[in-house]
Amino acid sequence: MDFLTFDLTEVDDGVSSLEAMASTTSALHAAVMGEVQRVLDWAWRRYPASHGPVDDGMVWDHDLQVTIEEGGWHTVTLTLTGNARFVEEFTATFANGED
């Protein structure tokens, strides 16, 4: 990953959040969104029928926010929430560049 760096926050009951933010010029926005798509594609492939609120028993969920700020800067925030297994696999995959 060139733009997204995920920070892990461990929450109660084995649920954790992974959050990344990138703020770039409009010229680099497509590259950032490509990284977002790569992450989401991985999650959908690995856990295709288990996306939704983790509090309701699902394995993973996500929130994607995109804002355009003054001067044409694009800020992308991607938050993934998942159970311990999801977070372990995510970390192993993206830390090793296996995605």
Side-chain angles (χ1 to χ4, degrees):
M1 299 269 167
D2 294 319
F3 300 98
L4 297 177
T5 301
F6 285 86
D7 293 320
L8 174 64
T9 303
E10 294 185 28
V11 187
D12 295 334
D13 300 328
V15 175
S16 298
S17 289
L18 295 152
E19 184 174 73
M21 181 173 60
S23 187
T24 63
T25 62
S26 59
L28 295 173
H29 181 66
V32 173
M33 293 307 294
E35 288 187 2
V36 168
Q37 192 62 55
R38 199 164 91 201
V39 166
L40 293 176
D41 286 349
W42 171 87
W44 284 113
R45 274 192 319 272
R46 292 293 301 142
Y47 299 96
S50 57
H51 177 264
V54 178
D55 291 341
D56 292 344
M58 302 306 274
V59 172
W60 72 285
D61 203 359
H62 81 284
D63 180 58
L64 176 62
Q65 302 287 322
V66 178
T67 58
I68 301 173
E69 300 174 16
E70 194 171 316
W73 284 90
H74 290 66
T75 300
V76 175
T77 304
L78 176 61
T79 304
L80 300 170
T81 305
N83 66 19
R85 186 180 70 183
F86 176 86
V87 171
E88 287 172 13
E89 286 188 38
F90 176 90
T91 303
T93 299
F94 289 97
N96 296 327
E98 296 174 9
D99 62 315

